[in-house]
Amino acid sequence: MNKIPVMKPFFTQEEKDAIHDVLDSGWVAQGPKVAEFERIIAAHEGVRHGIATTSCTTALHLAMVALGLGEGMDVIAPSFTFVATVNSIRMTGATPLLADIEQATFNINPEHVRQLINIYYVKKEDGLFHKQTGNRLWGIIAVHQFGLCADMNRINKIAAEYNLMIIEDAACAVGARIGSVYEGGFGHASCLSFHPRKSITTGEGGMILTNDDALAERLRTLRSHGASVSADQRHTGQGFLLPEFNEIGFNYRMNDIQAAVGIAQAQKLDWLLEERNRRASLYTYWIHEKIPFLIPPTVPEGYYHTYQSYVCMIDPKGLGINDIDALGDYRNKLLAGLEELGISTRQGTHAVHMLGYYKEQYGYTPRDLPVSYTADRLSITLPLYVQMTDEDQKAVITTILKVASEINEMSER
């Protein structure tokens, strides 16, 4: 069997031509192509400003710094997310407080957020303060996991009640929306990723979206060492003079080669998302028809899922096994068997509270956040990319059934 990868970027001649045009122009650092890419993505998501960065991780860090996060502050974030979400908090010197997720959506559970606030914080005139450490609760990071928006209506109600900042970690979710509002329109800032596993890619890269004019200006300054004038602005003015530097910043700039690829990708974005949804629907149909031990992704009414990843869960009822660790072992055998037969898969993502640093630093145990722990142990990402054929997807389904049958035969011996 030919190997079927988890994800494959979709490139055409447009991306190649765009790279050549940039190389021929002689301007390969951050410049006019970055500015154009920022305008295109911001316009697509219905947001005033886009600030391109080197990755979503640097976008998250930059947004947190620009919004004032630092030492002596806490941030609530979901445990079931890629570690970069929580690492970004630690990079500012702030302390993460991990929340559980809703299993159906894989997104942060607003009710658990409220429980954490009630358990750990006391309300004072100028905010919420941790009862033991004295840290002020700064805000909430809402991750739009796998391309599905978190329940921003309930999250924003909590934030408004306690005057908390909201950052949307939309690494997986360019194009995702609730009703007519796209990611980027719910919080103070939203952070995107253009990693090769995302719906569109620049190789590596990220972007911050915001409707706040002052915040956008500060983000642009901080991403370029704290310079008062950007390189492309200098090019159109007196470029022989260096800008003023009034604060310490970072080198988080995307370059024009990446942005040119991004522009070509963005022109296909709506079509790519439609194709991903079509492929996802086919998976969901076949799982319902043929694989009773898998639970396909859930999409709440009114939400648009971009299916950056198609993530299922092992269903305990379908296998007649109730122990999570035993089910996790079954999941791992299934993934190993698929890999041997040429089907690449992954667990959905990890539960951060189970990772070494966070367990040791904050004393978490696996079942402190039981739904995140379950998702860590039982989630399965199936291959999904627009170049897939129906036959490819049938091969994935058929191979899952074949490996599951072999596992069951082995367990009966």
Side-chain angles (χ1 to χ4, degrees):
M1 178 183 291
N2 293 327
K3 190 173 182 67
I4 296 178
V6 170
M7 170 59 180
K8 184 187 294 185
F10 181 77
F11 296 128
T12 59
Q13 188 62 41
E14 283 86 352
E15 284 82 2
K16 297 176 184 178
D17 292 342
I19 291 171
H20 289 150
D21 289 345
V22 172
L23 296 179
D24 289 343
S25 77
W27 189 307
V28 295
Q30 178 185 293
K33 290 297 181 182
V34 171
E36 183 182 353
F37 184 46
E38 290 171 336
R39 287 192 297 270
I40 289 170
I41 296 299
H44 187 276
E45 306 298 90
V47 177
R48 283 206 298 274
H49 301 283
I51 299 91
T53 60
T54 56
S55 68
C56 187
T57 306
T58 56
L60 285 164
H61 182 232
L62 194 66
M64 291 173 188
V65 171
L67 287 167
L69 182 62
E71 292 186 18
M73 300 180 188
D74 291 349
V75 184
I76 296 176
S79 176
F80 190 65
T81 183
F82 185 59
V83 71
T85 306
V86 187
N87 282 351
S88 301
I89 297 169
R90 291 297 298 129
M91 286 163 63
T92 70
T95 301
L97 181 62
L98 298 178
D100 218 340
I101 60 167
E102 296 177 319
Q103 186 166 306
T105 64
F106 299 113
N107 283 325
I108 192 169
N109 184 336
E111 290 310 308
H112 193 236
V113 171
R114 190 173 289 279
Q115 288 172 24
L116 291 173
I117 290 172
N118 291 336
I119 291 169
Y120 291 106
Y121 295 90
V122 60
K123 190 174 183 180
K124 299 181 181 179
E125 273 189 24
D126 51 347
L128 293 169
F129 292 83
H130 198 283
K131 295 174 184 177
Q132 294 181 333
T133 67
N135 284 359
R136 181 171 68 84
L137 182 59
W138 175 88
I140 303 168
I141 309 300
V143 179
H144 303 323
Q145 196 59 267
F146 308 131
L148 180 70
C149 285
D151 189 340
M152 296 309 300
N153 181 45
R154 288 195 290 163
I155 291 294
N156 278 340
K157 282 182 180 178
I158 295 170
E161 183 177 345
Y162 296 109
N163 194 28
L164 301 175
M165 291 287 181
I166 294 287
I167 291 179
E168 301 171 62
D169 182 341
C172 303
V174 62
R177 63 182 186 269
I178 304 174
S180 61
V181 180
Y182 284 82
E183 64 73 33
F186 299 104
H188 294 88
S190 175
C191 299
L192 298 170
S193 172
F194 303 113
H195 182 273
R197 277 195 64 188
K198 310 308 179 188
S199 298
I200 60 172
T201 184
T202 57
E204 284 280 5
M207 190 177 293
I208 305 167
L209 302 177
T210 183
N211 283 311
D212 186 324
D213 298 342
L215 175 61
E217 188 62 30
R218 178 156 168 72
L219 288 164
R220 292 186 181 104
T221 298
L222 286 175
R223 106 179 134 178
S224 189
H225 303 285
S228 58
V229 178
S230 68
D232 52 330
Q233 288 172 322
R234 284 175 55 211
H235 184 69
T236 59
Q238 293 183 326
F240 53 83
L241 293 177
L242 291 174
E244 182 62 78
F245 294 87
N246 296 313
E247 60 182 323
I248 295 172
F250 311 94
N251 183 0
Y252 286 170
R253 295 169 299 192
M254 179 181 282
N255 64 57
D256 265 24
I257 300 172
Q258 294 171 299
V261 174
I263 292 165
Q265 290 272 285
Q267 292 167 353
K268 307 178 181 78
L269 176 55
D270 289 336
W271 176 79
L272 289 167
L273 296 181
E274 288 172 8
E275 286 297 299
R276 297 182 77 83
N277 266 266
R278 187 171 69 84
R279 291 279 161 217
S281 295
L282 193 54
Y283 267 144
T284 298
Y285 172 77
W286 279 332
I287 288 170
H288 282 310
E289 289 291 310
K290 298 177 179 294
I291 310 180
F293 59 87
L294 285 185
I295 303 171
T298 296
V299 184
E301 185 176 354
Y303 285 60
Y304 182 77
H305 200 318
T306 64
Y307 291 103
Q308 180 266 327
S309 294
Y310 187 91
V311 181
C312 307
M313 286 280 286
I314 295 287
D315 186 357
K317 294 178 182 177
L319 290 173
I321 304 171
N322 293 319
D323 181 75
I324 296 300
D325 291 325
L327 286 164
D329 290 341
Y330 181 94
R331 190 274 311 267
N332 292 346
K333 290 176 184 176
L334 181 63
L335 300 191
L338 290 168
E339 181 73 21
E340 287 179 7
L341 293 175
I343 307 294
S344 293
T345 56
R346 300 284 188 277
Q347 68 184 87
T349 191
H350 42 227
V352 172
H353 77 283
M354 294 173 57
L355 301 177
Y357 173 85
Y358 292 96
K359 282 197 298 185
E360 294 175 12
Q361 188 77 10
Y362 301 108
Y364 285 109
T365 64
R367 287 178 173 80
D368 284 341
L369 300 168
V371 185
S372 296
Y373 177 70
T374 299
D376 180 289
R377 295 290 286 156
L378 305 190
S379 58
I380 300 175
T381 303
L382 299 186
L384 181 66
Y385 47 95
V386 300
Q387 303 96 311
M388 290 189 85
T389 64
D390 289 2
E391 291 305 312
D392 289 333
Q393 288 189 270
K394 286 178 184 177
V396 172
I397 297 296
T398 301
T399 309
I400 290 172
L401 290 169
K402 172 181 172 60
V403 174
S405 176
E406 291 173 352
I407 293 171
N408 292 338
E409 287 178 9
M410 289 292 293
S411 65
E412 291 171 2
R413 291 179 184 175

